[in-house]
Amino acid sequence: MSKRNVTLQLDDEVIKKAKVLAAREGTSLSALLAHQITVLAAADERYEAAKRRALAALDHASDHGGLSWNREDLYDR
């Protein structure tokens, strides 16, 4: 997979904290951010796949209750 540079603007305080975190992890700020964005993108892909599976299951679900009703049946007026 090819890589490209991206310009990112962050508050100075956020940059300071991120640099400390990266140093604690033994990595660069760039690598730390790249990893976190990759994790975020993977989580989104898993969510979308689960959503597609759930919607497909609903499309193929059968009516297990067997009951049919309407509003008038439920409320005596």
Side-chain angles (χ1 to χ4, degrees):
M1 187 179 318
S2 66
K3 296 186 179 197
R4 295 176 46 187
N5 289 332
V6 176
T7 301
L8 181 66
Q9 291 183 342
L10 299 169
D11 292 333
D12 287 336
E13 193 61 31
V14 172
I15 293 170
K16 287 178 189 176
K17 289 178 181 180
K19 283 182 177 181
V20 169
L21 181 59
R24 263 194 252 144
E25 299 279 329
T27 190
S28 67
L29 180 56
S30 180
L32 177 74
L33 293 172
H35 174 73
Q36 290 301 314
I37 292 170
T38 300
V39 167
L40 181 63
D44 184 62
E45 287 176 8
R46 287 191 308 273
Y47 170 81
E48 290 298 328
K51 180 179 166 184
R52 283 191 302 273
R53 287 191 306 271
L55 291 173
L58 285 174
D59 284 343
H60 294 97
S62 61
D63 182 14
H64 295 292
L67 300 175
S68 62
W69 50 268
N70 59 40
R71 184 178 174 90
E72 289 75 26
D73 294 339
L74 295 177
Y75 301 100
D76 292 329
R77 295 198 177 201

